[in-house]
Amino acid sequence: MRMLFGVVGLLIALAVVGLLVKKQVTVAVPSAAVVPGTPPAAGASAQVQPQLTPVPDQIKAAVDAAMQQKRPGLDDN
């Protein structure tokens, strides 16, 4: 009898988790997915996406500048 209640409780918990996951997935996925590099649909509002190419260049410049700085507190003994 305990085993039956355990299995039923497990199935109920699994059903609740499944419903929550289904709800989260349907909210997270947009109804019309936009693939980068393709033109927007005729009825869709055109949103301009910023170009992300300068960011790696900025990071590289910041790392290079940090590598050129002398570390404080080190003595050449």
Side-chain angles (χ1 to χ4, degrees):
M1 192 68 169
R2 265 175 57 182
M3 187 179 196
L4 180 66
F5 287 134
V7 170
V8 170
L10 184 63
L11 289 176
I12 291 172
L14 183 63
V16 169
V17 170
L19 289 174
L20 290 174
V21 168
K22 182 179 177 183
K23 186 177 180 181
Q24 288 292 323
V25 168
T26 56
V27 170
V29 176
S31 60
V34 177
V35 178
T38 60
S45 63
Q47 295 179 350
V48 177
Q49 294 182 356
Q51 295 293 329
L52 299 178
T53 54
V55 174
D57 294 336
Q58 291 173 351
I59 293 172
K60 184 178 183 294
V63 169
D64 288 341
M67 293 297 288
Q68 296 299 323
Q69 293 177 355
K70 186 174 179 181
R71 292 174 56 183
L74 294 179
D75 293 328
D76 293 331
N77 290 342

